[in-house]
Amino acid sequence: GEDTSSLSDPHFHVLMMFTKIDKSRSLQEKFRVAMLSMVKHGDFLEEEVLVLHFVSDQASQELGQRMLQEVLLDATFQYEVVFHDVVDLTHKLFPIVEAMQKHFSAGSGAYYSDAIFFLSVAMHHIMPQSLSRIVQVDLDLKYRTNIRDLFKQFDHFPPGAVLGITREMQPVYRYAQFPHVNHLTSLVLMSGEPPPDGLPGFNSGVMLLDLKAMRASALYNQLPGARERGQAGGPVPSSTPWACGWNRQLCTWWREHGYGDVFQLYYRCDGPVYIFHGNCNTGHPG
Ligand code: UDP
Ligand code: MN
C-alpha cells in the first residue's frame, strides 16, 4: 500500500559506491554514462529533490565533484549531492556487521576493510532516521527511463518486505555460492537452479531499500549476529523481485565458460528495459 509519509517527503535518495574512481578511467567513463543518462531521462515535480549520495574517499570525492558539475548541467530538476566518507562509514559499520561477516565468510575472519560490502544490509542503522527509503545503484548503469519511476516500485512491496532486488541473469550461483565471492547477494541466495522452476541468486546493481521497514522488521534484525541461523545463506525475509528490466544485466561471461547450455534460461529478460547494467565491463547497446 501507499505510504503517505513518503508521499509528502519530496526527497528521492539514491546512493552509489564511489571509491578509487580517480584510479580508473573505466569507472570514470561508466559514471559519466550513468549520470548523463540519469539526467537526460530524469523528470521530477517542481518541489521534489533528487538527493545523490556517494560513498567515497577523498581523491574520488574531489574528482566526483568536478565531474558532477559537468554531468548535472542539463538537469531539469532540483538535486543535492552528499558525500559520505568511506572510512567513517566503515568505522560505524564494522561493529554492526562483524558477526554477519564472520557468518558469511569462508574462513573465520571478519575483515575491517570488507565491512563496507555490508553497507546495504545495515543501511538502516547508518542513515538518519528521517530517511525512510533509499535506492542503491551501481555506476555501470545506463538509464533509459526516469529514475523517479524506480521509486514507484516501493509501492509494490508486499507488507513486511524490506528489500527490492532483481534476479541474477547468469548461472553464476552454480559456481559462486561462497559468500566471500559475493558478500551481499549471498544473503539473499536461495538456489542456483534456472528459472522458472528455481530461483537464481540476486544481482545487487539496483536495489530498493525500505529503511523504515528494515528498522521495523524483527525478522530482518534477526539476521546473523543478532541470532545464529541454522541454515547458511538463508533468505532475507520478504525480499521481493520485480521486473527484470529494471536491472537488465549484460554480462555474458559464463556463457563462454562452461554454462552455454543453460545460459539463456538465466539471461532472458522479456519486456521493456528501463536500466541497462553493463556488469563485468560489458558495454551498453546504443
Ligand atoms: N565500485 C567502486 N570502486 C571500485 C569498484 C567498484 O566504487 O573500484 C562500486 C561502483 O559503484 C560499482 C560497484 O562498486 O558500480 C560494483 O562494481 P561493478 O559494477 O564493477 O561490478 P559488476 O556489476 O560488474 O559485478
Ligand atoms: Mn555493476
Side-chain angles (χ1 to χ4, degrees):
E2 294 257 329
D3 178 13
T4 46
S5 65
S6 67
L7 284 180
S8 57
D9 182 357
H11 295 90
F12 293 74
H13 296 273
V14 175
L15 181 138
M16 287 168 249
M17 289 302 302
F18 197 77
T19 57
K20 299 180 205 138
I21 307 302
D22 58 311
K23 305 215 166 43
S24 165
R25 289 296 292 268
S26 157
L27 278 170
Q28 291 164 31
E29 190 46 36
K30 285 171 183 171
F31 174 59
R32 187 184 305 278
V33 168
M35 292 310 299
L36 286 174
S37 59
M38 186 195 284
V39 163
K40 180 179 173 187
H41 297 284
D43 192 16
F44 289 83
L45 300 176
E46 211 175 325
E47 65 274 21
E48 292 173 345
V49 184
L50 179 65
V51 186
L52 299 165
H53 298 260
F54 296 98
V55 177
S56 195
D57 51 73
Q58 195 57 42
S60 301
Q61 173 172 344
E62 282 164 22
L63 179 64
Q65 279 165 331
R66 281 204 304 277
M67 290 183 73
L68 282 166
Q69 285 185 359
E70 188 188 321
V71 294
L72 287 166
L73 265 181
D74 293 332
T76 60
F77 48 86
Q78 297 191 72
Y79 59 83
E80 286 169 16
V81 176
V82 183
F83 281 93
H84 302 265
D85 186 86
V86 67
V87 176
D88 291 349
L89 277 198
T90 303
H91 187 71
K92 275 190 207 162
L93 268 172
F94 188 68
I96 304 171
V97 301
E98 186 180 5
M100 198 184 293
Q101 274 182 258
K102 279 186 186 144
H103 187 92
F104 286 106
S105 70
S108 57
Y111 295 101
Y112 186 80
S113 57
D114 284 350
I116 200 68
F117 291 109
F118 289 80
L119 172 62
S120 53
V121 293
M123 191 92 79
H124 56 309
H125 294 301
I126 299 298
M127 290 294 170
Q129 290 281 328
S130 59
L131 227 147
S132 60
R133 291 168 165 183
I134 198 163
V135 170
Q136 184 173 344
V137 288
D138 272 8
L139 298 181
D140 55 346
L141 305 182
K142 187 171 184 180
Y143 298 84
R144 305 188 73 205
T145 188
N146 186 0
I147 192 167
R148 188 182 188 277
D149 292 344
L150 185 52
F151 289 83
K152 291 182 189 158
Q153 304 302 313
F154 279 113
D155 299 329
H156 301 311
F157 275 33
V162 298
L163 176 67
I165 195 162
T166 51
R167 66 179 173 79
E168 174 62 46
M169 290 176 188
Q170 288 193 262
V172 59
Y173 289 95
R174 285 166 177 264
Y175 177 79
Q177 23 188 303
F178 303 102
H180 63 280
V181 174
N182 193 328
H183 306 263
L184 177 72
T185 51
S186 69
L187 286 171
V188 287
L189 174 64
M190 290 183 189
S191 113
E193 288 312 303
D197 299 325
L199 279 168
F202 294 102
N203 180 278
S204 58
V206 178
M207 278 189 294
L208 306 173
L209 305 170
D210 191 326
L211 303 179
K212 205 169 154 188
M214 284 161 79
R215 290 179 192 116
S217 171
L219 203 54
Y220 185 77
N221 290 300
Q222 280 173 7
L223 280 171
R227 183 175 64 88
E228 280 301 308
R229 292 161 83 79
Q231 201 189 337
V236 164
S238 310
S239 60
T240 174
W242 74 100
C244 57
W246 283 103
N247 179 8
R248 203 305 170 233
Q249 298 133 241
L250 298 167
C251 182
T252 58
W253 197 86
W254 291 97
R255 183 167 61 198
E256 278 72 54
H257 293 82
Y259 294 96
D261 50 343
V262 292
F263 190 84
Q264 271 313 315
L265 291 169
Y266 289 83
Y267 196 69
R268 80 176 277 188
C269 167
D270 298 328
V273 173
Y274 307 107
I275 299 176
F276 279 118
H277 182 185
N279 55 331
C280 83
N281 299 313
T282 312
H284 298 288

